[in-house]
Coordinates of all heavy atoms in Angstrom, one line a residue:
N1 N 192.3 4.9 170.2 CA 191.5 4.2 169.2 C 190.9 5.2 168.2 O 190.0 5.0 167.5 CB 190.3 3.5 169.9 CG 190.4 2.0 169.8 OD1 191.5 1.5 169.9 ND2 189.3 1.3 169.6
S2 N 191.6 6.4 168.1 CA 191.1 7.4 167.2 C 191.1 6.8 165.7 O 192.0 6.2 165.3 CB 192.0 8.6 167.2 OG 191.9 9.3 168.4
G3 N 189.9 7.1 165.1 CA 189.8 6.6 163.7 C 189.4 5.1 163.7 O 189.4 4.5 162.6
G4 N 189.0 4.5 164.8 CA 188.7 3.1 164.9 C 190.0 2.3 165.2 O 191.1 2.8 165.3
T5 N 189.8 1.0 165.2 CA 190.9 0.1 165.6 C 192.0 0.1 164.6 O 193.2 -0.3 165.0 CB 190.4 -1.3 165.8 OG1 189.7 -1.8 164.6 CG2 189.4 -1.4 167.0
R6 N 191.8 0.5 163.4 CA 192.8 0.6 162.4 C 193.1 2.0 162.0 O 193.5 2.3 160.8 CB 192.5 -0.3 161.2 CG 192.4 -1.8 161.6 CD 192.1 -2.7 160.3 NE 192.0 -4.1 160.7 CZ 191.8 -5.1 159.8 NH1 191.6 -4.8 158.5 NH2 191.7 -6.3 160.2
G7 N 192.7 2.9 162.8 CA 192.8 4.3 162.5 C 194.2 4.9 162.9 O 195.2 4.3 162.9
T8 N 194.1 6.2 163.2 CA 195.4 6.9 163.4 C 196.0 6.6 164.8 O 197.2 6.9 165.0 CB 195.1 8.5 163.4 OG1 194.1 8.8 164.3 CG2 194.6 8.9 162.0
G9 N 195.2 6.1 165.7 CA 195.7 5.8 167.0 C 196.0 7.1 167.9 O 195.6 8.2 167.5
Q10 N 196.7 6.9 169.0 CA 197.0 8.0 169.9 C 197.9 9.0 169.2 O 199.0 8.6 168.7 CB 197.6 7.5 171.2 CG 197.8 8.6 172.2 CD 198.6 8.1 173.4 OE1 199.8 8.0 173.3 NE2 197.9 7.7 174.5
K11 N 197.6 10.3 169.3 CA 198.5 11.3 168.8 C 198.6 12.4 169.9 O 197.7 12.7 170.6 CB 197.9 12.0 167.6 CG 197.7 11.1 166.4 CD 199.1 10.7 165.8 CE 198.9 9.8 164.5 NZ 200.1 9.3 164.0
G12 N 199.8 12.9 170.0 CA 200.1 14.0 171.0 C 200.1 15.3 170.4 O 200.5 15.5 169.2
L13 N 199.6 16.3 171.1 CA 199.7 17.7 170.6 C 201.2 18.0 170.4 O 202.1 17.6 171.1 CB 199.2 18.7 171.7 CG 197.7 18.9 171.8 CD1 197.4 19.9 172.9 CD2 197.1 19.4 170.5
P14 N 201.4 18.8 169.3 CA 202.8 19.2 169.0 C 203.4 19.9 170.3 O 202.7 20.7 170.9 CB 202.7 20.1 167.9 CG 201.5 19.7 167.1 CD 200.5 19.2 168.2
L15 N 204.6 19.6 170.6 CA 205.2 20.2 171.8 C 205.2 21.8 171.8 O 205.1 22.4 172.8 CB 206.6 19.7 172.0 CG 206.8 18.2 172.3 CD1 208.2 17.8 172.4 CD2 206.1 17.9 173.7
A16 N 205.2 22.3 170.6 CA 205.1 23.8 170.4 C 203.8 24.3 170.9 O 203.7 25.5 171.2 CB 205.4 24.2 169.0
E17 N 202.8 23.5 171.0 CA 201.4 23.9 171.4 C 201.2 23.7 172.9 O 200.1 24.1 173.4 CB 200.3 23.2 170.6 CG 200.4 23.6 169.1 CD 199.3 22.8 168.3 OE1 198.3 22.4 168.9 OE2 199.5 22.7 167.1
M18 N 202.1 23.0 173.5 CA 201.9 22.6 174.9 C 201.8 23.8 175.9 O 201.0 23.8 176.8 CB 203.0 21.7 175.4 CG 202.8 20.3 174.9 SD 201.2 19.5 175.3 CE 201.3 19.5 177.1
K19 N 202.5 24.9 175.6 CA 202.4 26.1 176.5 C 201.0 26.6 176.5 O 200.5 26.9 177.6 CB 203.5 27.1 176.1 CG 203.5 28.3 177.0 CD 204.6 29.3 176.6 CE 204.6 30.5 177.5 NZ 205.6 31.5 177.1
S20 N 200.5 26.7 175.3 CA 199.1 27.3 175.2 C 198.1 26.3 175.8 O 197.1 26.8 176.5 CB 198.8 27.5 173.7 OG 197.4 27.9 173.5
Y21 N 198.3 25.0 175.6 CA 197.3 24.0 176.2 C 197.4 24.1 177.7 O 196.3 24.0 178.3 CB 197.7 22.6 175.6 CG 196.6 21.6 176.1 CD1 195.4 21.6 175.5 CD2 196.9 20.7 177.1 CE1 194.4 20.7 175.9 CE2 196.0 19.8 177.5 CZ 194.7 19.8 176.9 OH 193.8 18.9 177.3
I22 N 198.6 24.1 178.3 CA 198.7 24.2 179.7 C 198.1 25.5 180.2 O 197.4 25.5 181.3 CB 200.1 24.0 180.2 CG1 200.7 22.6 179.8 CG2 200.3 24.3 181.6 CD1 202.1 22.4 180.0
R23 N 198.2 26.5 179.5 CA 197.6 27.8 179.9 C 196.1 27.7 180.0 O 195.4 28.2 180.9 CB 197.9 28.9 178.8 CG 197.4 30.3 179.1 CD 198.1 30.9 180.3 NE 197.4 30.9 181.5 CZ 197.9 31.1 182.7 NH1 199.1 31.4 182.8 NH2 197.1 31.0 183.8
D24 N 195.5 26.9 179.0 CA 194.0 26.6 179.1 C 193.6 26.0 180.4 O 192.6 26.3 180.9 CB 193.6 25.8 177.9 CG 193.6 26.6 176.6 OD1 193.7 27.8 176.6 OD2 193.4 25.9 175.5
I25 N 194.4 25.0 180.8 CA 194.1 24.3 182.1 C 194.2 25.2 183.3 O 193.4 25.2 184.2 CB 195.0 23.1 182.2 CG1 194.7 22.1 181.1 CG2 194.8 22.4 183.6 CD1 195.7 20.9 181.0
L26 N 195.3 26.0 183.3 CA 195.4 27.0 184.4 C 194.3 28.0 184.4 O 193.8 28.4 185.4 CB 196.8 27.7 184.3 CG 198.0 26.8 184.4 CD1 199.3 27.7 184.2 CD2 198.1 26.1 185.7
D27 N 193.8 28.4 183.2 CA 192.7 29.3 183.0 C 191.4 28.7 183.5 O 190.5 29.4 184.1 CB 192.5 29.7 181.6 CG 193.6 30.7 181.1 OD1 194.4 31.2 181.9 OD2 193.7 30.8 179.9
L28 N 191.3 27.3 183.4 CA 190.1 26.6 183.9 C 190.1 26.8 185.4 O 189.0 27.0 186.0 CB 190.2 25.2 183.5 CG 189.1 24.2 184.2 CD1 187.7 24.7 183.9 CD2 189.3 22.8 183.7
I29 N 191.2 26.6 186.1 CA 191.2 26.7 187.5 C 190.9 28.2 187.9 O 190.1 28.4 188.9 CB 192.6 26.3 188.1 CG1 192.9 24.9 187.7 CG2 192.7 26.6 189.6 CD1 194.3 24.4 188.0
E30 N 191.4 29.1 187.2 CA 191.0 30.5 187.5 C 189.5 30.8 187.2 O 188.9 31.6 188.0 CB 191.9 31.5 186.6 CG 191.6 33.0 186.9 CD 192.5 33.9 186.1 OE1 193.7 33.9 186.4 OE2 192.0 34.5 185.2
Y31 N 189.0 30.2 186.2 CA 187.6 30.4 185.9 C 186.7 29.8 187.1 O 185.7 30.5 187.4 CB 187.2 29.6 184.6 CG 185.8 29.7 184.2 CD1 185.3 30.9 183.6 CD2 184.9 28.7 184.4 CE1 184.0 31.0 183.2 CE2 183.5 28.8 184.0 CZ 183.1 30.0 183.4 OH 181.8 30.1 183.1
A32 N 187.1 28.7 187.6 CA 186.4 28.1 188.7 C 186.6 28.9 190.0 O 185.6 29.1 190.8 CB 186.8 26.7 188.9
N33 N 187.8 29.3 190.3 CA 188.1 29.7 191.7 C 188.6 31.2 191.7 O 188.7 31.7 192.8 CB 189.2 28.9 192.3 CG 188.8 27.5 192.6 OD1 187.6 27.2 192.5 ND2 189.7 26.6 192.9
G34 N 189.0 31.8 190.6 CA 189.6 33.1 190.6 C 188.6 34.2 191.1 O 187.4 34.1 191.0
P35 N 189.2 35.3 191.6 CA 188.4 36.5 192.0 C 187.8 37.1 190.8 O 188.2 36.9 189.6 CB 189.4 37.4 192.7 CG 190.7 37.0 192.1 CD 190.7 35.6 191.8
V36 N 186.7 37.9 191.0 CA 186.1 38.6 189.9 C 187.0 39.6 189.2 O 186.7 40.1 188.1 CB 184.8 39.3 190.3 CG1 183.8 38.2 190.8 CG2 185.0 40.3 191.4
T37 N 188.1 40.0 189.9 CA 189.0 40.9 189.3 C 190.0 40.2 188.3 O 190.7 40.9 187.6 CB 189.8 41.6 190.4 OG1 190.4 40.6 191.2 CG2 188.9 42.5 191.2
S38 N 190.0 38.9 188.3 CA 190.9 38.1 187.4 C 190.2 38.0 186.0 O 188.9 38.1 185.9 CB 191.2 36.8 187.9 OG 190.1 35.9 188.0
K39 N 190.9 37.7 185.0 CA 190.3 37.6 183.6 C 189.3 36.6 183.5 O 188.1 36.8 183.1 CB 191.4 37.3 182.6 CG 190.9 37.1 181.2 CD 192.1 36.8 180.2 CE 191.5 36.5 178.8 NZ 192.6 36.2 177.8
W40 N 189.5 35.4 184.0 CA 188.6 34.3 183.9 C 187.6 34.2 185.0 O 186.4 33.8 184.8 CB 189.3 32.9 183.7 CG 190.0 32.9 182.4 CD1 191.3 33.3 182.1 CD2 189.5 32.6 181.1 NE1 191.6 33.2 180.8 CE2 190.5 32.8 180.1 CE3 188.2 32.2 180.7 CZ2 190.2 32.6 178.8 CZ3 188.0 32.0 179.4 CH2 189.0 32.2 178.4
G41 N 187.9 34.8 186.2 CA 187.0 34.9 187.2 C 185.9 35.9 186.8 O 184.7 35.8 187.1

């Protein structure tokens, strides 16, 4: 419903950006659970 009912609708991230986006999700898990020696821990 982006932009309202007559707006742009659902849009997907460009596939070229998916590697970086998935990395963000993996970094979230490391931020929550990783050791203090890890980047996000």
Side-chain angles (χ1 to χ4, degrees):
N1 251 36
S2 292
T5 55
R6 297 183 182 180
T8 58
Q10 185 191 79
K11 299 290 183 182
L13 280 178
L15 292 176
E17 297 179 19
M18 283 302 296
K19 183 177 180 180
S20 173
Y21 185 74
I22 293 171
R23 182 71 260 166
D24 284 350
I25 295 173
L26 298 177
D27 290 344
L28 170 58
I29 298 171
E30 183 178 289
Y31 181 77
N33 291 351
V36 296
T37 53
S38 66
K39 176 181 177 180
W40 291 95

